[in-house]
Amino acid sequence: MNQLPSAQRQLLRAIELEGVTQKDFAEQHDIKYSTLKSRVKKARASLMAQFDNCCSFSVDSRGSVIDFSRKGKSCGFAGHEAK
């Protein structure tokens, strides 16, 4: 997440990690709710693209990640070892 642009990072941190609802975030930042939903979708896609560039994922039948492997050594996984 730290490699995302500041606005996307702030948005995802609040909504995904801190539990702020999209509606509340939109009101707090004076953004139309529909605009915010688009920004959230774009930020999530950007984050997923970063993951896809660095890792290959194995998912179960529900789409939950069950394993991953690193595609390269320069992806910023300091302290994390690939399986």
Side-chain angles (χ1 to χ4, degrees):
M1 250 170 78
N2 289 335
Q3 295 179 16
L4 291 174
S6 178
Q8 287 185 343
R9 186 173 54 247
Q10 175 189 14
L11 175 69
L12 289 181
R13 184 169 286 128
I15 291 169
E16 302 294 352
L17 301 178
E18 297 171 3
V20 176
T21 67
Q22 290 185 24
K23 200 168 238 183
D24 287 343
F25 189 93
E27 289 174 6
Q28 292 168 4
H29 293 86
D30 198 28
I31 303 169
K32 286 185 178 182
Y33 180 55
S34 59
T35 300
L36 179 73
K37 289 190 331 182
S38 296
R39 290 181 186 177
V40 169
K41 185 176 181 177
K42 183 177 179 182
R44 286 175 177 161
S46 294
L47 183 59
M48 190 61 194
Q50 286 183 359
F51 285 131
D52 284 340
N53 284 335
C54 289
C55 298
S56 296
F57 296 96
S58 297
V59 296
D60 64 15
S61 61
R62 295 185 318 248
S64 299
V65 175
I66 56 174
D67 198 7
F68 78 96
S69 61
R70 218 187 271 190
K71 290 181 180 176
K73 293 186 179 194
S74 62
C75 290
F77 278 104
H80 295 87
E81 290 301 318
K83 292 183 179 180

